[in-house]
Amino acid sequence: MHSEDLKPVIGLALGSGSARGWSHIGVIQELEAMGVRAEVVAGTSIGALVGAVYVSGQLNEFADWVRKLGVRDVVRLMDLTMTGGFVKGERLFGFFNEQHRNPNIEDVSQRFVSVATEMKSGREVWISKGPVWDAARASCAMPGIFTPVKHDGRWMLDGGLVNPVPVSACRALGADVVIAINLNTQLIGAHMSKASLKEAEQVVVAQDERNRSIWRKLADYLHGSNETPSFFDSVASSINILQDRLTRSRMAGDPPELTLSPRLEDFALMDFHRAGEAIEEGRRIVRAHEAEIRAWTGVNAPEVAGQAESG
């Protein structure tokens, strides 16, 4: 049997975590630089989004784009609403569709699954067919933030409500070695930093009357005081606590071979404009665990010139 046949099937379980999820990009880029390529990719919420970009072969271009995003750019991609959340997501995912390829999952070279939650039954739903962006959007509907989305005739909520780090989905798709990226080990304390919120407000005020009207209605929910958290901060913290406890429980029952936990304690829920920091932390956490990753995956470090010469 050739040595190639003995190499394990590597799976990546990309967890939920809102803006912290940009660290998934750095993790994948550093793994690829190390020679470790996942044959199986399972993603929840922001993990589903980054996973969709990865399996469709567009990760590096996507990384370059998100690194350039400022607060104003992020706000311009939000279609504000008061129904089911405060961001529809249609503008954001429509932009992704226009700027990036949207192949069917069946046509990409890696096995991919997006984890969502069926709103009516609360069931965990694995989406492994159809356009990658549709699958990712179905998983990205954090309650109170992004509105639910209809997929195959069913309303879907954020996959993080049922499976925040989808190790089980990786196993089901044939992964022998699962590398899990857990973004929920540090609790998120705020929905949006005060400085970002002020800048976001300036952008919205400059937009059309409809957005200004919605923002005025949202203002009381978004703005907390020094003594009292805002409504959305309370919702965000509650969801984060639930996901942290659920992640611990599920991973205890189905542990991955390796868990990487990027350290992004000061990230607020909507700090999508801080992609550069998150990506670099993703790369750092992989380098910190390089020896373990190589041991589990069977990918050896490149030999230094002259080191392998025999006498």
Side-chain angles (χ1 to χ4, degrees):
M1 184 180 285
H2 296 294
S3 60
E4 312 307 342
D5 298 327
L6 298 173
K7 285 191 175 177
V9 174
I10 300 164
L12 265 183
L14 305 175
S16 60
S18 200
R20 289 175 178 169
W22 292 148
S23 61
H24 290 318
I25 297 172
V27 166
I28 296 169
Q29 287 180 325
E30 196 65 26
L31 286 172
E32 288 270 345
M34 199 182 288
V36 176
R37 182 168 177 80
E39 294 176 57
V40 174
V41 180
T44 293
S45 196
I46 186 75
L49 172 60
V50 175
V53 176
Y54 178 37
V55 300
S56 60
Q58 305 173 88
L59 189 71
N60 290 335
E61 305 96 295
F62 188 78
D64 291 341
W65 176 65
V66 297
R67 278 180 179 274
K68 296 172 186 172
L69 289 177
V71 174
R72 292 171 181 267
D73 301 308
V74 172
V75 174
R76 289 189 188 104
L77 286 169
M78 293 181 179
D79 34 12
L80 299 178
T81 180
M82 292 292 288
T83 306
F86 78 88
V87 180
K88 285 183 186 177
E90 291 172 8
R91 185 180 298 169
L92 177 64
F93 279 84
F95 178 84
F96 290 161
N97 242 328
E98 291 170 11
Q99 301 297 318
H100 301 86
R101 296 184 301 281
N102 188 22
N104 285 333
I105 296 171
E106 304 94 307
D107 298 330
V108 300
S109 61
Q110 293 153 292
R111 281 165 268 174
F112 175 66
V113 65
S114 169
V115 178
T117 305
E118 187 182 18
M119 187 172 179
K120 185 176 181 180
S121 65
R123 287 184 301 183
E124 182 175 338
V125 176
W126 293 358
I127 302 171
S128 57
K129 293 180 180 178
V132 291
W133 289 119
D134 292 5
R137 174 65 184 96
S139 184
C140 298
M142 180 175 280
I145 312 296
F146 286 97
T147 60
V149 64
K150 213 164 199 177
H151 185 86
D152 285 344
R154 297 178 292 174
W155 287 104
M156 298 294 176
L157 292 172
D158 199 282
L161 296 172
V162 287
N163 197 349
V165 185
V167 175
S168 55
C170 279
R171 298 273 186 225
L173 266 62
D176 300 314
V177 171
V178 178
I179 302 172
I181 319 303
N182 181 12
L183 306 175
N184 294 310
T185 55
Q186 308 113 47
L187 297 182
I188 298 174
H191 172 74
M192 188 181 283
S193 67
K194 288 185 178 178
S196 298
L197 193 58
K198 188 172 182 181
E199 191 170 351
E201 190 164 11
Q202 291 172 350
V203 176
V204 175
V205 166
Q207 291 177 346
D208 56 65
E209 178 54 37
R210 178 185 171 278
N211 273 352
R212 286 196 294 271
S213 174
I214 293 174
W215 185 267
R216 283 193 291 268
K217 293 174 183 174
L218 285 170
D220 290 339
Y221 295 105
L222 289 166
H223 289 274
S225 66
N226 291 330
E227 298 80 22
T228 310
S230 73
F231 171 79
F232 278 121
D233 288 344
S234 299
V235 170
S237 294
S238 298
I239 292 169
N240 191 222
I241 291 166
L242 288 169
Q243 290 189 348
D244 175 48
R245 299 302 182 266
L246 180 56
T247 299
R248 292 170 191 255
S249 174
R250 292 205 61 152
M251 288 176 67
D254 191 2
E257 279 63 39
L258 281 164
T259 301
L260 305 180
S261 300
R263 308 297 298 178
L264 297 164
E265 295 95 333
D266 67 332
F267 261 56
L269 191 76
M270 299 292 284
D271 276 352
F272 291 107
H273 59 287
R274 299 174 64 187
E277 299 169 62
I279 291 171
E280 290 311 309
E281 172 57 14
R283 300 194 79 130
R284 184 201 68 78
I285 201 74
V286 170
R287 290 193 295 267
H289 291 83
E290 180 175 355
E292 298 166 73
I293 292 168
R294 290 193 184 281
W296 275 110
T297 61
V299 175
N300 296 321
E303 293 181 346
V304 178
Q307 183 177 313
E309 290 179 8
S310 55

